[in-house]
Amino acid sequence: MAEIVDYELFEVPPRWLFLRVETADGTVGWGEPVVEGRSKTVRTAVEELFDTYLLGKEAGRIEDHWQAMYRGGFYRGGPVLMSAIAGIDQALWDIKGKRLDVPVYELLGGAARERIRVYQWIGGDRPSDVAEQAREQVEAGFTALKMNATEEIERVDDPATVDAAATRLREVREAVGDEVGIGVDFHGRVSKPMAKRLVEALEPYNPMFVEEPVLSGHNDALPQIAQHTTTPIATGERMYSRWDFKEVFEDGAVDVIQPDLSHAGGITEVNKIAAMAEAYDVSMAPHCPLGPIALASCLQVDACSPNAFIQEQSLNIHYNETSDVLDYLADPSVFDYEDGYVQIPDAPGLGIEIDEEHVRAQAERDVDWHNPVWRHADGSVAEW
C-alpha cells in the first residue's frame, strides 16, 4: 500500500505552480496544477481536494480519485477545478510509474513512437521581427514554428490589419522555405467576421494550422470559418474535458485539438480525449507553454497516442523571462531537441527528475504573474 501522506505546493517563476506529493513508502510524485495568472486560486483548489479527500487514500487508484475529484462536487469543470485535478493526476501517475519502475506510457498501453516533433515560438505577444527569428530557430534545428497572427484587433478591422498579418506570414515563409511548419495562433483575439477574412488571407502561405481562430465559447462559428480555408483548424487550450471537446468532434470543423495537460484533467483525461479524437480522424498537438512537469506529462500521452503529431514546448518562450524549463531539472538533457524532435522520456514515472533544492529556493521568490489587460483605441477591453 502507498497511502498519500503529504503534499506541498511551490509557486515558482516565471508563472508556474508545482505540486509535490509523497506516499507512506517515501515515493514522491510531481505535478503542475496551474492556470497562468491564477496560481493562488488553483493552489486553494488543490489544497481543498487534498484536505477534504485525498490525504490518507491509496495513491494507485488514479481513475477512482479522478472520478471522485470531478464528480464529488455538484459543480464541475472549468479551468480552476480541472487544472487542480490535472496537477494532482500528473503526480499520481508519476508515483505509480516510479513504484512500478516504468515510464507512465508503459501503463497506458506502451509507446507508439520513440520521439515527437516539437515547435518553437517566435515573435512574442505582439508579433514582430518574425522573419529573422524564424531563420535563427530553423538554423538551431527546429522544423516547425508558431507565431501570433495579430496583436489586438477590432471586431471589424481595416484591410491594413489583415494585410499586415498576411505579410508577416509571407515573410516567415520566404525566410524558411516550404519544408518548415508554421502554426499561426489567433489567440482568441479575433471576432468571427475577421477570422473569416484572416484565414482566407493567410492560406496562400500554407500555415501548418490556424489556432483558436475564435474563442472556445464561439466554437459554433468554426464550421463557417472552415468554409473559407483549407488550412487545418486547431483549438482546445481553453477546453477542459472530453465533454467540452465532444461538440467540435461532432461538427467536424476542427482538424487539430490542443488540450493542455495542466488544464484538461491531466494524463487520465487527455488520454481519453486523444482516443476520442482518433475516432474522428482529428490530430492532437497538446498545448504546453508551461514548465517541465507539464511537458513531461504531455510527452507521456504523446508516446501512446497515434494521432499526436507535434508538441508545443516553452523553452525561450516570451513568458519565460526570469526562469526557464530546464532550470528545474536535475538532468536537463532529457529535453534535448535534435532535428526538431524530442525523445520520449523513458525513466520511471514522468521520466524527469526535478531538482527539489532549486524548486525550494525559487519558491522563496515573489511570483506574481498576470497577463496584461489590453484595450482598444476607444478604451474598451481587447482580447489578449
Side-chain angles (χ1 to χ4, degrees):
M1 297 288 286
E3 290 183 357
I4 299 168
V5 295
D6 195 19
Y7 72 95
E8 292 180 85
L9 288 152
F10 306 92
E11 290 181 69
V12 296
R15 54 177 191 161
W16 304 332
L17 181 67
F18 291 172
L19 167 67
R20 181 188 186 275
V21 180
E22 187 168 350
T23 63
D25 66 357
T27 307
V28 171
W30 289 87
E32 198 168 328
V34 70
V35 173
E36 301 92 298
R38 295 285 183 267
S39 60
K40 292 176 176 57
T41 311
V42 180
R43 179 185 192 117
T44 300
V46 172
E47 290 169 347
E48 186 173 51
L49 289 169
F50 271 98
D51 295 345
T52 62
Y53 173 70
L54 284 166
L55 282 176
K57 297 291 197 302
E58 164 62 32
R61 297 189 63 182
I62 298 174
E63 180 67 35
D64 186 61
H65 295 329
W66 198 100
Q67 295 292 330
M69 288 187 290
Y70 181 80
R71 296 167 58 195
F74 184 77
Y75 299 99
R76 302 170 186 178
V80 173
L81 176 64
M82 297 306 286
S83 297
I85 290 174
I88 293 168
D89 184 80
Q90 293 167 5
L92 295 181
W93 279 107
D94 195 25
I95 287 168
K96 184 179 277 284
K98 287 173 177 174
R99 294 194 76 234
L100 297 175
D101 199 31
V102 292
V104 168
Y105 66 74
E106 290 288 3
L107 304 174
L108 300 174
R113 57 172 53 85
E114 287 75 47
R115 59 179 189 162
I116 191 163
R117 195 178 179 199
V118 293
Y119 63 77
Q120 179 74 340
W121 266 93
I122 58 171
D125 264 345
R126 288 188 167 92
S128 62
D129 194 29
V130 285
E132 184 55 36
Q133 290 184 44
R135 282 191 202 92
E136 290 172 1
Q137 297 303 336
V138 170
E139 288 171 4
F142 288 96
T143 64
L145 311 167
K146 191 167 82 173
M147 57 187 274
N148 279 311
T150 69
E151 46 191 14
E152 53 268 75
I153 184 169
E154 299 285 353
R155 289 180 179 274
V156 179
D157 218 316
D158 53 43
T161 299
V162 176
D163 184 62
T167 298
R168 275 191 294 271
L169 180 56
R170 174 178 57 79
E171 290 172 349
V172 173
R173 177 59 69 204
E174 290 173 351
V176 301
D178 288 340
E179 294 185 356
V180 172
I182 309 168
V184 181
D185 189 357
F186 285 35
H187 218 247
R189 295 172 182 168
V190 182
S191 65
K192 178 175 66 175
M194 295 308 298
K196 289 189 285 190
R197 294 178 64 190
L198 278 167
V199 295
E200 207 164 72
L202 298 177
E203 176 147 0
Y205 311 110
N206 294 304
M208 180 168 58
F209 53 73
V210 292
E211 177 175 337
E212 237 187 0
V214 289
L215 289 164
S216 58
H218 300 307
N219 280 343
D220 57 314
L222 292 175
Q224 295 178 51
I225 294 167
Q227 290 173 11
H228 291 262
T229 185
T230 63
T231 300
I233 291 176
T235 196
E237 69 188 68
R238 286 184 270 197
M239 298 164 67
Y240 309 112
S241 72
R242 73 200 93 146
W243 297 281
D244 289 346
F245 282 91
K246 181 169 64 171
E247 251 181 68
V248 298
F249 293 148
E250 290 174 350
D251 71 30
V254 171
D255 305 292
V256 181
I257 55 159
Q258 300 170 303
D260 189 306
L261 269 286
S262 280
H263 300 329
I267 290 169
T268 297
E269 184 70 352
V270 174
N271 191 49
K272 295 175 182 180
I273 293 167
M276 289 173 67
E278 185 185 3
Y280 286 89
D281 196 21
V282 172
S283 299
M284 184 172 71
H287 180 253
C288 191
L290 292 169
I293 305 166
L295 179 56
S297 299
C298 288
L299 295 175
Q300 295 298 321
V301 175
D302 290 333
C304 56
S305 301
N307 53 329
F309 88 101
I310 200 164
Q311 176 61 55
E312 180 172 26
Q313 53 82 39
S314 75
L315 188 65
N316 298 321
I317 200 172
H318 43 286
Y319 307 119
N320 296 359
E321 294 178 351
T322 56
S323 195
D324 217 327
V325 176
L326 304 182
D327 299 344
Y328 292 98
L329 296 174
D331 178 13
S333 69
V334 70
F335 291 148
D336 281 352
Y337 303 135
E338 186 175 347
D339 301 325
Y341 287 81
V342 65
Q343 294 291 126
I344 305 297
D346 59 3
L350 296 179
I352 59 172
E353 183 182 350
I354 293 295
D355 183 344
E356 187 172 326
E357 185 177 338
H358 184 69
V359 170
R360 292 184 182 279
Q362 292 297 98
E364 297 297 319
R365 297 174 59 180
D366 184 32
V367 182
D368 192 28
W369 187 90
H370 297 283
N371 65 252
V373 176
W374 286 2
R375 293 186 181 272
H376 294 298
D378 65 0
S380 62
V381 174
E383 293 291 344
W384 170 73

